[in-house]
Amino acid sequence: MNTNPYKRFENAELILRDELAIDRTILANERTMLSYIRGAITLAIAGITFLHFIDNGLLYYLGIIMIPAGIFVGIFGIIRYLKMNGRLKNIRNPD
């Protein structure tokens, strides 16, 4: 099975419509990565806030879970961005 879904575009010349579509996809990829980072920061800050202001109970334990979840979401978003960015570079510059 072909692991690169964009292989059929590697040897073809891209026309203006294709170039603009790639530009839109690049911007959407960046926007998605920034959303992942924003979510990661929000989770981590909420977790830190729960740990700081609540001594025990359900929200304290939820805060303990939210901090690593925020770190995981941030790392996942960056990995996903880098993977898609590599695919887009292969389309634009197949060298």
Side-chain angles (χ1 to χ4, degrees):
M1 179 173 234
N2 189 5
T3 59
N4 185 0
Y6 308 111
K7 184 126 178 101
R8 62 187 170 125
F9 297 110
E10 287 180 357
N11 296 326
E13 264 190 54
L14 299 176
I15 59 175
L16 178 61
R17 179 187 60 206
D18 297 332
E19 290 286 339
L20 293 174
I22 291 171
D23 288 339
R24 282 192 304 271
T25 306
I26 289 170
L27 291 173
N29 190 34
E30 291 173 359
R31 228 177 12 251
T32 302
M33 191 262 310
L34 291 172
S35 295
Y36 273 110
I37 298 299
R38 183 180 62 227
I41 291 171
T42 302
L43 277 171
I45 289 174
I48 291 169
T49 303
F50 287 166
L51 290 178
H52 183 72
F53 290 113
I54 298 172
D55 293 331
N56 55 13
L58 180 63
L59 290 179
Y60 181 81
Y61 296 111
L62 186 62
I64 291 173
I65 293 171
M66 289 173 93
I67 294 171
I71 294 169
F72 173 75
V73 167
I75 292 171
F76 178 77
I78 290 171
I79 290 171
R80 187 171 168 181
Y81 168 77
L82 292 174
K83 186 186 285 187
M84 182 56 105
N85 197 34
R87 288 180 179 173
L88 292 171
K89 283 184 180 181
N90 284 339
I91 293 172
R92 183 159 281 170
N93 300 320
D95 302 327

